[in-house]
Amino acid sequence: MIIELRRLWTKRQIPMLQNLRAARMERVERFYLIDQLLRSQTGGVSRNALLDRLGISLPTFKRDLEYMRNRFWAPIVWDSSTGKYRFDFAQAGADRYNLPGLWFSPREAHALLVLESMLQQIQPGVLTEHTSPFRVRLEKLLENSIDDREQLRRRIRILTMGGRAVDFAGFSLLAHAVLKRRQIHLKYEVRARGELTERTVSPQRLVHYRDNWYLDAWCHLRCGLRSFAVDAIQEPSLLDKKAKSVPDKALDRELASSYGIYSGQPDNLAVLRFSVLRSRWVAKETWHPEQRAEIAADGRLTLRLPYLHDDELIMDILKYGPDVEVLDPPALRQSVHEKLLQTRALYDA
């Protein structure tokens, strides 16, 4: 009696164990493994060998095969003469077979969809042409893609502040020029001086900084590297000339070594000291890749960072009001002091 009960318990546990093993292997991973197994055995693979390797039940296996045939046009056939499954690439439509992105697990695919959704929220519509094929391929891997899209819209938000509108057609042309390494001719509005200049540039990269897009490029008019606000670029046109190539190290040295969006080698070191309360936030912030931060025994943070032009740095300092003090250099301290006096004069008037 005990032996019979053990046999009965074992028979009932087999499906449960198979379900547990199936849960450990994501469905997308099974597709990729099926593809590997069938390609590695020219004569085909038996059903039992596939089930054992995949760790799934026969109904689940059949559903996987049906999905691969219908969604990815997999030419998988059952060879009754050998009792094995194999690929038949001679059948019609076999050339359409493809497993796009099957190296992604569902969790990874969801994460990539989140990133794509975030990118669209950063600049709606600007990169849709470039990212939509990527999104379609990812969604094909997820059975509940419709729910995923809705959840992404509802559950993930990016709140931008100070973002300036970018022309979709113009941005697409700039992106094309950057990737294809082509020169472009454009008109650029230098807002600080209220001037409109014409120039030819060799695009190097697109940069998203503080909710706005910038084009790092070699300016043939100025014979040097410049960073252009994309929203200030007018009438860009693609030229049939190869873009001048600038090494990444040179780009970083010239355009990313100083504080903020300004180009050039930094020649000053700002030393800022924050209040105990504000230090708790600033300690987690990155103002500059080469910054140095120290927290004193009293809890106040001292931040040291290189800069060339102080315009953007002063704006960042002023937003902290009485929670920050400029210790060095004296010229920066004096500039902040003057700005505060001018602001006070406006409110005292």
Side-chain angles (χ1 to χ4, degrees):
M1 181 66 177
I2 295 177
I3 295 176
E4 291 299 323
L5 286 175
R6 284 181 177 173
R7 288 176 178 173
L8 180 60
W9 183 87
T10 301
K11 289 181 180 179
R12 290 181 177 178
Q13 290 304 307
I14 288 176
M16 294 176 62
L17 292 173
Q18 289 177 331
N19 290 335
L20 287 173
R21 293 176 66 188
R24 293 170 186 162
M25 181 178 292
E26 301 284 7
R27 190 179 193 191
V28 173
E29 293 175 300
R30 295 202 305 270
F31 293 161
Y32 189 62
L33 184 53
I34 290 172
D35 180 87
Q36 277 188 322
L37 292 171
L38 295 182
R39 288 182 185 274
S40 63
Q41 302 293 330
T42 56
V45 184
S46 69
R47 179 180 298 166
N48 289 338
L50 287 167
L51 293 178
D52 182 66
R53 184 66 179 84
L54 297 168
I56 57 177
S57 65
L58 180 58
T60 300
F61 174 65
K62 289 184 176 180
R63 286 194 295 269
D64 284 353
L65 288 188
E66 182 180 3
Y67 192 96
M68 292 180 68
R69 289 163 175 159
N70 294 337
R71 294 294 188 95
F72 304 118
W73 303 283
I76 301 175
V77 297
W78 167 256
D79 192 334
S80 57
S81 63
T82 61
K84 294 181 179 180
Y85 287 94
R86 61 178 177 83
F87 279 129
D88 181 10
F89 289 103
Q91 69 180 34
D95 58 330
R96 302 171 66 185
Y97 172 52
N98 188 24
L99 297 181
L102 287 185
W103 47 90
F104 296 130
S105 69
R107 287 187 180 182
E108 293 169 330
H110 277 112
L112 289 170
L113 282 174
V114 167
L115 292 176
E116 194 271 346
S117 179
M118 291 171 65
L119 186 59
Q120 290 303 320
Q121 291 183 58
I122 289 173
Q123 193 66 56
V126 169
L127 295 178
T128 300
E129 178 184 355
H130 306 283
T131 61
S132 57
F134 172 70
R135 169 181 279 270
V136 170
R137 285 176 175 258
L138 286 176
E139 289 176 347
K140 285 181 68 177
L141 302 178
L142 302 171
E143 293 183 352
N144 59 339
S145 58
I146 295 178
D147 293 337
D148 291 334
R149 289 197 301 269
E150 181 60 28
Q151 289 298 322
L152 286 173
R153 284 193 293 267
R154 293 179 55 203
R155 305 299 181 186
I156 299 175
R157 298 179 63 199
I158 296 177
L159 303 178
T160 61
M161 182 177 179
R164 301 184 293 269
V166 173
D167 175 66
F168 173 75
F171 186 92
S172 296
L173 186 145
L174 295 179
H176 179 78
V178 168
L179 297 176
K180 297 299 182 181
R181 314 303 304 122
R182 298 274 296 280
Q183 292 184 24
I184 55 175
H185 182 269
L186 54 82
K187 294 181 180 178
Y188 188 69
E189 180 185 2
V190 184
R191 284 182 285 230
R193 299 192 296 271
E195 298 176 357
L196 187 66
T197 62
E198 288 193 41
R199 59 187 79 193
T200 297
V201 303
S202 289
Q204 303 299 317
R205 60 191 181 189
L206 285 164
V207 179
H208 191 261
Y209 174 73
R210 295 195 175 190
D211 295 333
N212 288 289
W213 286 100
Y214 295 86
L215 176 70
D216 288 349
W218 176 270
C219 178
H220 294 274
L221 176 65
R222 306 300 185 198
C223 296
L225 289 170
R226 295 291 186 274
S227 186
F228 301 94
V230 171
D231 61 288
I233 294 176
Q234 301 178 16
E235 302 177 21
S237 59
L238 197 65
L239 302 179
D240 191 19
K241 294 182 180 179
K242 186 176 180 179
K244 174 184 175 66
S245 184
V246 180
D248 289 342
K249 288 185 178 180
L251 288 171
D252 292 337
R253 184 173 60 251
E254 183 68 21
L255 300 177
S257 59
S258 187
Y259 186 83
I261 200 65
Y262 293 102
S263 61
Q265 291 291 314
D267 56 6
N268 286 291
L269 183 70
V271 183
L272 314 176
R273 184 169 60 196
F274 295 83
S275 67
V276 174
L277 176 63
R278 193 53 56 189
S279 293
R280 297 168 189 166
W281 278 270
V282 178
K284 301 292 185 179
E285 297 175 355
T286 300
W287 289 43
H288 190 278
E290 297 179 9
Q291 70 183 32
R292 288 182 292 137
E294 300 174 359
I295 299 181
D298 61 2
R300 291 189 296 176
L301 180 140
T302 300
L303 185 67
R304 292 176 170 82
L305 46 92
Y307 73 96
L308 177 61
H309 302 285
D310 61 10
D311 295 13
E312 191 172 349
L313 179 57
I314 290 175
M315 287 191 293
D316 287 337
I317 293 172
L318 290 175
K319 74 180 182 181
Y320 285 96
D323 286 315
V324 62
E325 178 187 2
V326 179
L327 301 181
D328 206 45
L332 178 62
R333 183 182 177 92
Q334 180 63 30
S335 296
V336 172
H337 178 69
E338 291 175 358
K339 290 289 184 182
L340 289 172
L341 291 178
Q342 293 170 8
T343 302
R344 179 178 179 178
L346 287 175
Y347 286 92
D348 288 345

